[in-house]
């Protein structure tokens, strides 16, 4: 009787320890050279924006409302707009679940192309 109860307790403990995470990678290259390489990871509500490579020396980010999409105009203004230097990471807690983002090697006012 103790063995099934112990096994169930262990499974519950392991499930409680697992973190919720989501990763998005943006990688653009020209002639085999990365012009932009960015990774965004969200773990338990904290987003981490990592600039791995950028021809300008910075990755520029626009963080969008969950109702918006990066490839179309949106009535909602960006939630955040910032740059991260190559080799650096910026942590940002408190963004809404399902936020969208786009990264570029240059500063942009919106994600979609004109």
């Amino acid at each position: 009787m103790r063995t099934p109860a112990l096994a169930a307790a262990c499974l519950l403990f392991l499930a409680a320890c697992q973190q919720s995470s989501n990763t998005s990678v943006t990688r653009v290259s020209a002639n085999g050279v990365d012009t932009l390489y960015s990774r965004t990871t969200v773990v338990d509500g904290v987003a981490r924006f990592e600039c791995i490579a950028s021809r300008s020396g910075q990755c520029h980010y626009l963080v969008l409302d969950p109702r918006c999409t990066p490839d179309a105009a949106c009535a909602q203004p960006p939630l955040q707009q910032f740059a991260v230097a190559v080799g650096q990471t910026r942590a940002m807690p408190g963004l809404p679940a399902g936020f969208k983002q786009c990264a570029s090697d240059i500063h942009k006012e919106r994600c979609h192309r004109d």
Side-chain angles (χ1 to χ4, degrees), residues 30-46:
N31 299 319
V33 176
D34 286 328
T35 58
L36 177 69
Y37 187 6
S38 167
R39 180 174 31 232
T40 303
T41 305
V42 180
V43 177
D44 289 339
V46 178

Side-chain angles (χ1 to χ4, degrees), residues 43-90:
V43 177
D44 289 339
V46 178
R48 287 186 168 64
F49 299 85
E50 180 183 7
C51 184
I52 299 165
S54 172
R55 68 178 158 197
S56 70
Q58 294 187 322
C59 296
H60 296 267
Y61 296 92
L62 283 173
V63 180
L64 306 175
D65 186 279
R67 297 170 285 183
C68 299
T69 62
D71 58 350
C74 182
Q76 305 298 320
L79 300 174
Q80 296 284 332
Q81 186 171 354
F82 57 93
V84 176
V86 170
Q88 300 295 311
T89 300
R90 179 171 178 179

Side-chain angles (χ1 to χ4, degrees), residues 1-10:
M1 185 72 171
R2 279 198 236 177
T3 303
L6 183 59
C10 288

